């Protein structure tokens, strides 16, 4: 195989991309993963992982016990006037920052033989002569299979002309998300969800002493109403919930500015486009209230990998590869996403 030719090219090094890369490399495949950022880095995410994914992460090589992460098995929800109710979480989960989790997984990926190109944005994805052509700012690569794991929204979605990005979003369905790490002293076994007008804020413990992830989702129109200023919007909207007012005005942030993402869109996407198998949020984004987007990202990697291996062994042709992935992706996730969209 020529130097720049791979069995599997993965665009995006979040959970879906990293898990796909580890699984494929362990099968002896030549794998390249492109990530536009440099590890380790913070991301907007609530950082609560359902125990649904615990065993899978362990099988990837993550030593969860050694990390001494907080176990979370209770849920506390408050309404916008501050009335709250406590629930037991059936399956439960644990808290870990994406900074740490993705960093650990990229180490495992490298040890498994994945060629990790960080700080490398893919600018163009084409398909010609039965090969994917991947263009970055300074190089070109080709691969027999490609996994699109570039998250909720990427410049690549535009370049690929994906249908979900072409439709203008009505402002009530256009969301922003904001994340802080704060120093707090709340029960470590509880995830709290606090509701406010057109949004909700989650807070739960991650690794490290007194470190909590505080992350909220709201409409872009709420922010527009406050001239695009996060702090004023928080005071005008989130502070109406007395619990949030108390937390946000008293818990010190552990980094200078919050992380903010915009144009979060829960619209429908397709699991295969231009012969690229989409995994994680690139295939479909579930509302964070459901609390298992990370598990879905990991699960989609687990679905894609055996089908890709079968194709590379010559047991499936390309239309079968794409059909098999589409069918199993829809079987696993269509209903969850539909339920998520109604929340
Ligand atoms: C507010 C909010 C809170 C959430 N809270 C939770 C929670 O508590 N629990 C949970 O399970 N889920 C939660 N989720 C969902 C979860 O964060 C996602 O479902 C999960 O991160 C998806 O993983 P992914 O690998 O698909 O995408 P990501 O983790 O977003 O990774 C995509 C990667 O692709 C890279 N990339 C993009 N474009 C390019 C390019 N052109 N070239 C190279 N690299 C590129 C990006 O830099 C990024 O690293 C939350 C989501 C939101 C919005």
């Amino acid at each position: 195989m020529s130097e720049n030719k791979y069995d599997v090219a993965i665009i995006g090094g979040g959970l879906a991309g990293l898990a796909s890369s580890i699984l494929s490399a362990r099968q002896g495949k030549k794998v390249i993963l492109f990530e536009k950022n440099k590890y380790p880095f913070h991301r907007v995410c609530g950082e609560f992982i359902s125990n649904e994914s615990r065993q899978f992460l362990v099988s990837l090589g993550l030593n969860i016990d050694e990390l001494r992460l907080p176990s979370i098995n209770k849920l506390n929800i408050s309404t916008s006037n501050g009335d709250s109710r406590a629930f037991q979480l059936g399956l439960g989960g644990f808290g870990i920052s994406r900074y740490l989790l993705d960093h650990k997984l990229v180490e495992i990926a490298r040890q498994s033989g994945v060629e990790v190109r960080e700080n490398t944005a893919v600018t163009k994805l084409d398909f010609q002569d039965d090969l994917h052509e991947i263009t970055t700012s300074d190089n070109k690569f080709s691969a027999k299979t490609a996994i699109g794991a570039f998250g909720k929204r990427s410049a690549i979605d535009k370049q690929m002309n994906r249908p979900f990005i072409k439709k203008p979003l009505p402002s009530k369905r256009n969301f922003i998300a904001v994340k802080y790490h704060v120093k707090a002293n709340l029960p470590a076994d509880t995830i709290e969800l606090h509701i406010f007008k057109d949004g909700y804020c989650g807070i739960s413990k991650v690794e490290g002493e007194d470190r909590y992830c505080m992350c909220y989702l709201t409409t872009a129109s709420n922010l527009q109403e406050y001239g695009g200023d996060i702090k004023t919007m928080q005071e005008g909207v989130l502070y109406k919930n007395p619990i949030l007012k108390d937390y946000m005005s008293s818990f010190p942030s552990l980094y200078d500015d919050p992380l903010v993402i915009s144009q979060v869109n829960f619209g429908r996407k397709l699991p295969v486009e231009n012969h690229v198998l989409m995994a994680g949020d690139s295939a479909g984004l579930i509302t964070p209230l459901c609390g298992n987007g990370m598990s879905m990202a990991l699960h989609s990697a687990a679905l894609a990998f055996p089908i890709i291996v079968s194709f590379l062994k010559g047991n499936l042709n390309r239309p079968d590869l794409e059909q098999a992935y589409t069918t199993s992706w829809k079987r696993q996730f269509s209903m969850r996403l539909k339920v998520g969209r109604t929340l």
Side-chain angles (χ1 to χ4, degrees):
M1 202 177 281
S2 76
E3 206 190 315
N4 275 1
K5 190 170 169 194
Y6 294 82
D7 293 317
V8 188
I10 296 164
I11 300 93
L15 293 185
L18 288 165
S20 303
S21 75
I22 295 167
L23 293 171
S24 307
R26 281 187 183 160
Q27 288 292 313
K29 303 300 166 203
K30 191 176 175 199
V31 183
I32 187 163
L33 177 139
F34 301 93
E35 168 51 52
K36 68 177 177 167
N37 291 308
K38 184 160 172 51
Y39 297 100
F41 59 98
H42 289 287
R43 293 172 191 275
V44 174
C45 180
E47 303 185 328
F48 164 80
I49 304 197
S50 159
N51 274 333
E52 175 187 347
S53 295
R54 192 180 183 96
Q55 261 324 104
F56 181 65
L57 284 166
V58 170
S59 74
L60 289 179
L62 188 74
N63 192 335
I64 295 182
D65 290 339
E66 190 186 83
L67 295 172
R68 305 171 69 81
L69 302 169
S71 284
I72 299 174
N73 47 38
K74 293 187 184 126
L75 168 68
N76 211 323
I77 301 188
S78 81
T79 57
S80 44
N81 63 9
D83 292 341
S84 65
R85 278 191 69 180
F87 302 86
Q88 197 69 32
L89 283 176
L91 197 53
F94 55 97
I96 179 170
S97 71
R98 292 295 300 273
Y99 188 90
L100 177 63
L101 176 60
D102 294 31
H103 175 59
K104 289 282 174 197
L105 290 178
V106 80
E107 277 178 354
I108 297 171
R110 286 194 176 105
Q111 285 155 12
S112 309
V114 177
E115 183 177 332
V116 177
R117 297 267 176 144
E118 55 187 335
N119 250 339
T120 307
V122 170
T123 52
K124 203 159 170 250
L125 258 182
D126 286 321
F127 186 77
Q128 260 179 19
D129 302 327
D130 210 33
L131 279 178
H132 295 274
E133 279 189 359
I134 301 114
T135 309
T136 65
S137 59
D138 58 359
N139 219 330
K140 266 188 193 289
F141 304 82
S142 66
K144 294 178 193 162
T145 59
I147 298 183
F150 30 82
K152 298 170 235 333
R153 189 182 185 93
S154 162
I156 283 292
D157 290 313
K158 260 201 176 150
Q159 186 269 324
M160 290 179 76
N161 211 12
R162 296 186 73 190
F164 88 92
I165 216 156
K166 286 194 280 189
K167 286 189 214 145
L169 272 179
S171 63
K172 282 277 171 196
R173 278 199 266 139
N174 181 7
F175 293 89
I176 61 152
V178 180
K179 176 181 126 172
Y180 299 85
H181 273 176
V182 295
K183 186 171 160 53
N185 189 7
L186 296 168
D189 62 353
T190 304
I191 179 166
E192 298 188 16
L193 276 184
H194 302 293
I195 294 169
F196 56 90
K197 178 183 160 265
D198 296 333
Y200 45 87
C201 176
I203 178 161
S204 53
K205 179 97 185 66
V206 291
E207 76 281 354
E209 207 184 333
D210 301 337
R211 182 179 282 262
Y212 286 72
C213 173
M214 185 155 76
C215 184
Y216 65 83
L217 185 82
T218 189
T219 53
S221 54
N222 259 351
L223 185 59
Q224 275 154 16
E225 220 175 285
Y226 287 85
D229 186 71
I230 295 281
K231 194 163 179 289
T232 334
M233 178 194 65
Q234 287 173 182
E235 287 167 4
V237 180
L238 283 78
Y239 278 29
K240 297 250 162 66
N241 180 320
I243 298 177
L244 281 178
K245 180 176 182 186
D246 176 26
Y247 288 179
M248 295 188 117
S249 52
S250 61
F251 295 159
S253 172
L254 294 174
Y255 37 74
D256 289 346
D257 292 312
L259 295 181
V260 183
I261 53 170
S262 58
Q263 294 188 297
V264 180
N265 171 351
F266 298 99
R268 283 184 187 78
K269 299 177 180 175
L270 295 172
V272 179
E273 282 188 52
N274 198 19
H275 309 283
V276 178
L277 307 194
M278 302 294 174
D281 287 355
S282 288
L285 179 59
I286 191 154
T287 55
L289 196 57
C290 298
N292 56 11
M294 288 194 272
S295 294
M296 282 179 60
L298 293 166
H299 197 154
S300 61
L303 287 182
F305 141 79
I307 301 173
I308 283 183
V309 170
S310 243
F311 170 79
L312 292 171
K313 280 186 182 156
N315 298 336
L316 290 178
N317 61 25
R318 195 169 293 279
D320 290 344
L321 159 81
E322 295 174 12
Q323 188 54 53
Y325 182 66
T326 302
T327 306
S328 67
W329 190 91
K330 285 189 173 164
R331 194 181 304 128
Q332 287 298 329
F333 303 125
S334 287
M335 187 48 81
R336 267 198 213 198
L337 287 165
K338 202 170 165 190
V339 171
R341 273 194 289 268
T342 61
L343 287 175

